Amino acid sequence: MRTILLTCLTALGLLLSVSVMAQTKTVTGTVTDADTKETLPGVNVVVKGTTIGVMTDAKGAYSIKASEGQVLQFSSIGYITQEITVGSGNLIDVALATNVQTLNEVVVTAEFGMKRVERSIGSSVQTIKTTEIAESGRDNFVAALQGRVAGMNVGSSSGAPGASTTVILRSITSISGNNQPLYVVDGIPMNNSTFDPLSLADGGTNFSVRNLDFSSRGNDINPADIESMTVLKGAAAAALYGSDASNGAIIITTKKGTAGAGKISYDNSFRWDNAYGYPDIQDKYANGAYGYTNWYYTTRYGGLYPEGTKFYDNVGALLQTGFTSRHALSVEGGAGKTSLRASASWLDGTGIIKTTKYSKLNITLSGRSEIKKWLSVEGSMQYAAVENNKAPLGTDGPLYLAMRWPQVDNMADYMDADGMHMRYPNYYIDTDLLNPLYGLYKNKLYDKSDRVITALSANFTPVRNTFLRVQMGWDVGMQSYIQGKHPYYSAANAGTGVYESTKRNFSDPTINVIAGYSNEFFNKKLSFSAQFGYHQQENSVNQLSSYGTGFMVVDMMSINNCTSTTVSSSQKNTKRRIQALSGQIELGYNKMAYLTLRGRNDWSSTLMPDNRVYFYPAVEGSFILTEMPFMDAVPQITYMKLRGSIAQVGKDAPPLSIYPQLIVTGLTGGGYRYDFTGPNLKLKPEMNTSKEVGVEGRLFHDRVNFDFTYFWTHCADQIINGFRLSYGTGFVLNNMNLGDFKTWGYEAHIDGDIISKPNGLKWNLGINISHTGSDVTYLPPNVTEYYNAYTWNTGNIRNGIMMHHPVTSLTGQAYTRNDAGQILIDPTTGLPKVNSTWSVLGNREPKVRFGIQTNASYKGLRLSAMFAGRLGATVVNGTKRSMMQSGLSWESVKLREKGPVVFNGVLKDGLENTTNPTENNISVSYNNYGASIYTGYDEDWIEKDVNYLRLQELRLSYAIPEKMLLKTPLATTTLFVAGNDLLTWTNYSGIDAVGNTVSAAAGGTGGEGMDVWSLPNPRGFSLGLSVTFK
Amino acid sequence: MIKKISLSVMLLASLLFATTSCDDYLDVNTNIDGPTYVPGYLYLAGIIQSYQGLYYDGRATAPLTQMMGTTSFTTFATNYYSEGSDNGGELWRMTYWLQGMNLENMINQSIEGENWTLAGIGYAIKAFSWDQLTKINGEIILKEAFEPGRLSFDYDYQYDVYPQVRKWAYQAIKYLEMQDNTVYGTTISANDYIYGGNKDKWIKFAYGVLARNFISLSCKTDFVTSGLADSAIYCAQRSFQSTSDDATVTVAGGGKGAAQSAYNNFWGTFRENLTYSYFQHEYAVQVMTGTVPKYDESTGNKVVNTIGNTYYPYEPADKQIICDTAIFSQTGHFDPRVAVKLATTDDPNYLNMSNIIQIKKRRYFGGAFTSATGPIGTAPSFFGRNEKSLYTGAVNDGSGRWLYRDNAPYIMMTCAEIKFVLAEAYWKKNMKQEAFDAFRAGVKADLAFTAKYITPGTGGSPTGGDKITAAVFTTMANEYAAGPYVDNLALADFTLSHIMMQKWVALYPWGSNEAWVDMRKYQYDIAYTGDYPKSGNGWDLSSVSMKWDSDASKVYKGFYLAPAQVQGRKGTYNALNLGSPCYRLRPRYNSEYMWNKPALEGLLPIAGTAPNYQCSIPWFAYPGDMPTAK
């Protein structure tokens, strides 16, 4: 089926390579760079004074019909345009010289697919080369961004295929809501939701963001379809894209094909993933407590294992070598001013945990055409089908369950002798242990999505210097989430089975209409442009969930197999609509100084009429220092821009946040009652203000690029959803505007060609560094802490937010201390005491995040590497705590064998705050206590100053010299081998220093830095090739 | 040129036209999957069924009244509280949220629609809930409750809550007595799981709430002089007349076949809440079997009996208040309620459900505060076995028994209780004969009440149920009622103890909240001088001095707090209690202690945030005014 599809697409592409109109003669040639002698693809070759034009191909070659005496114009961004009159010959080779002046005119794709001159932009913008994404070896283009953009943090909830990803640009702007940037594809906002397991029909009885993670919809897109990607950091982006871009925006432009000779390309990759870095389990002491072996216990505080005990690698029994293959085919072509591109890509992979799978099919059709001189249209349609089988996470995950399984028993043998029931381990008397392998093979955790993103835009030029752009787009997805629990996957095989299925469809239509005018005045000294837009956007969700239990056929996963009286279903439909007007005026003076004023006014459906209209302005300015005459004295600085911006952005509430909801009671007689959340008719939009200043430039003839930004953000009137207050409100939860906080920090980027030889040897090294600080400046006096309860996964540690502390704080129950800070010891037990209230224990945000990219190329060979790292992070080692509690770790053996211990501290005997507190001298023997003493206290599991460096990517590619391909149908061929996440250097003692205890659906500050049985990224090796056909 | 301009203009114009109805376009923020408004009666069933919350918190107050021992809510059994926990906070949740705005809407909509009956029912429910809430928690949020936009909520003192509760109850009576022209059809009768829409009974219910409210002030020095006693009498007389008036909440039951597990009674076997974590307390067994022991006042030890009774090795006190069931078996001495209210492991196969002799021979054991192991045996579960409740297997407890059944109604207030209220009020007014008459009516009402919910097991089958038939029970009840502890009690021997202890038995164990009100207003029978006990006068850090049973002023004979002077009661409270017994439950932790602390801090005489706030005596239990200083 897939093959047929691809063939059809190929045929379609070929049909469209319509031959060019007849002319007097054909002129051919190659365009090269005058300095490097490399061929230049994508150079515009136009017959001056006509509409005839072509582009050079990948090898810099062109072919154009022209008659003698006509003038050919060769132009490309960053080069001096050359004009050559056609003579009698048919061959014209051109060498284009680079031009600093024109290089300055680099444009970035910004607002709604329109382009802006880089020098006029007053906020931080970073463009990512799509080749880097393609070369990252990641199936998920979002994950591939980690380390590549200064100030961008990409967090993943696990190393499993299809894991959700959380992207934060600069810093969070919302305590409980969405903090991810807006993805805009061809001017149309793309849905990047992550399904929250609480939306399953059981309402979170079995799963929540802490133990189940579904893929983020942003990952659906095919990286090979992306032509360019621009990251707009900070709130400045929101002035035009609206509140959804208050955390920045990632602007994606898809490939629309190039006219000219048709091009067919194919590439593939094959990747093998291996798990690594799992902790050792001690094999000295058996199950039990107080030194006595007792198989009734899962804790390993029993006696010594008898000599010659056979041990099994039960964690190993879960693992497999993951294998992922990817094939992508694309065709493009067109004639004159019309081009078309079609592509198909197929990815199929298995994860390192048995039974986990991920597959993705993308089919894309796109194109553009200049229909009239005053009208051009472009459009794209992307279809993505994703399927994912997954394993639960955290303490419901296979890793934790395998660790608990007695290692004297072979967990791999998970089936009972009858071939149906879950087998219980030998020795172990209780029947409450769940065999994760049985769970993996018999339970169902599955999701599937079919999704289409369409975008269509038309550009009119009614009169000179004006334009009207109309864009329409529709992002539609049909998703299905299934959770099924086998009846025998239960203590004593005694469950009755659970099946729940949620169908969730979303539909996000968008309309943008933008009209603008631009011109230059006073001898081109003053440039002026203005544009106004109308925007309309809808996000609707339509969900139906069913739930049933009491399986009749035990092995059958279907709602139809559930006992009819247990089957229930519920639906949820929500809609959010935004209308907005936007405006922008840009003034430029002599290509040296620019001032841009922007504003947007939103009307949101989610707030009451009094509060739903909100305006937010932005102002940005830039100054090109190198335009000043005195800078000529410093020729090393080729280009330098100073910039700054102040922007505000309002943010509305999620749908249905205003009125309380009535729900059917689960009590005799039914009827209605209010749900947990109370009304708030006064809810108003959040208002974030962000300021930034920066400098960027190029040095030493553009060999070095640098960029530095410092930013401040103030987030006010935070809308906190599901916030608890006194039940005196009449409700349990509330949606309220509570709390302000500020963030600040810097982002820096520098890269340079360390070696750039005329013989083609090139070595480039680039570094991104960023730092973010934050501080909560206001919480109401009765609110001591806000936290997400799903992050409360180890001890009493959670992601608490408290006054005058960073928003990324960890809170927990600290040791009680005297005024001098010494730990207080209970004089009766000799054990430390902890506070019963929560206080801040650390800050999860590292002091510095950085990424290092480097690549070296020589002729066809290219070696690239990418490192990502953090310095000075605080990480909760929940895994270690759990292993200590259950006596699984060698550290627990050490503690146990240590003999009596005197805890460091002073006795709480009334003298603790005098000048002479009583030093603790009470010795405590671990052996006299059960597991609780090994579990320690919250502070024991907070690891501070964690440094971390990971070799994310290492890749070697080789482009076969074209000479060798002459007799083949291949135009270019590149082969590569690569490795992902090969090595990690860290002083962290747990599994995953970048572990995240909740899925992206948790929102807010999430659970990054909380490592509780995290599944780290596996080590991947891949190889593949990419070819284009003649 | 014309073409392109006109095309652009048309496009713009059509878009502008499309957006003229801005407000309609944005009006999509309503929940289309649920109503935004429901008629008042659709709230009623949910509001009524949320009274299961009474049983949730009964798990805290029953151990405090020594009705139950527990291995679960042990902090309450030891007169402390569960730190950082919502245990004991269900009435708070019920009153403010589960009933809360639902009840407000029901009342307000009904008044607006002139649906006086439904409005009256609403007010009666409101009065009942808030009366219970303040009695349990003392200071509560009244005036600022439900005020939109508030972040913190100040507390109102109990002396301000009490009049408001009465106002609501009078309002209920007023509305229920009004001519109501609404045609309700079955809208009320089908949703009123208490009285099926019977207005007369709701009026009696509202008077019952008032009677309960007034009588809780019987320790006030001005109880008689200010007319509170008369009010109590007036209201009690207009309240319940027979057990058919009892306020009970019917549930669907259905065990595991129920569509929702909460269709089953909270105490039934299916929901596994009582299971074996709660069991009858030693004191309950002493009172109901007539084995309140005689203590040697010099040592505090129980006097060992000399007749060689191996079942009951101690000498019973000379005068038992309820019966002498365990010792004698003469006609009229045996209180058959033990066979229903208490559990026994005897007759596990249900062979003697109609055999009076065998029924009388059964033995009952009570547990300690936090352990089923009592002084002379092990307390069984409420289902009569020394293990947790099971609803499946060869030997099981079926769907439970008596009030501990999946389909048993929740008991809110009974005729018996109201008669004892009447008796106590008369007693306070020194109207001994009237008090005695009310007392006798009360005992008989409780006997009838007890019989009503008997569901005998299956003979020969260890699969749950009561171990007595209703017919046999009634025969024995009639004998008891005519006997020396009820009708034949000499007026001269009739004491306040008879009223209060029979009331305690009548409230066992469903009405522990109200029994706790009584015990607190009589200051737990602590020996002190002056108005009320306090540190150094009634208790010190290590013990509470209790009145001896021989003290005529002692109300609850045989009752000793845990740190008292007698055998088996020589423990100590949590040091943070500073020696005091518990006088109130703390408000719900995740509501108040997390999010409303500043309001708690200001409370007097003990701040709500103080480690001994649970020991702060509520206003109703002060004979005079509450102290206004810390």
Side-chain angles (χ1 to χ4, degrees), chain A residues 400-412:
Chain A
Y400 173 71
L401 295 176
M403 291 260 189
R404 266 164 64 98
W405 197 266
Q407 72 209 97
V408 294
D409 183 85
N410 186 8
M411 192 188 80

Side-chain angles (χ1 to χ4, degrees), chain A residues 354 450 546 1025:
Chain A
K354 284 174 180 168
D450 290 287
S546 320
L1025 63 84

Side-chain angles (χ1 to χ4, degrees), chain A residues 435-493:
Chain A
N435 188 315
L437 277 168
Y438 194 91
L440 289 171
Y441 286 108
K442 296 289 193 175
N443 294 341
K444 190 165 187 175
L445 280 178
Y446 169 82
D447 71 287
K448 178 176 167 8
S449 157
D450 290 287
R451 192 237 184 115
V452 179
I453 307 175
T454 56
L456 185 65
S457 69
N459 257 323
F460 300 83
T461 317
V463 288
R464 216 157 64 89
N465 296 330
T466 66
F467 71 90
L468 173 68
R469 189 174 170 92
V470 180
Q471 287 183 320
M472 275 178 280
W474 210 309
D475 185 0
V476 197
M478 291 167 285
Q479 308 164 94
S480 176
Y481 298 92
I482 295 172
Q483 189 266 117
K485 190 169 145 192
H486 193 276
Y488 299 154
Y489 185 70
S490 180
N493 280 296

Side-chain angles (χ1 to χ4, degrees), chain A residues 230-249:
Chain A
T230 307
V231 178
L232 310 177
K233 296 171 213 166
L240 288 173
Y241 285 111
S243 9
D244 292 348
S246 61
N247 314 299

Side-chain angles (χ1 to χ4, degrees), chain A residues 831-889:
Chain A
L831 296 175
K833 291 172 77 79
V834 293
N835 291 322
S836 60
T837 52
W838 272 253
S839 57
V840 170
L841 302 181
N843 182 4
R844 293 178 286 144
E845 179 64 30
K847 292 196 177 75
V848 171
R849 296 179 190 266
F850 63 93
I852 304 170
Q853 271 174 286
T854 183
N855 64 73
S857 54
Y858 178 68
K859 299 206 164 138
L861 270 177
R862 186 177 146 89
L863 179 68
S864 61
M866 153 88 216
F867 297 85
R870 296 170 186 194
L871 297 175
T874 297
V875 180
V876 182
N877 198 340
T879 308
K880 191 172 173 184
R881 176 184 181 277
S882 175
M883 289 188 72
M884 189 68 93
Q885 182 174 30
S886 47
L888 290 171
S889 58

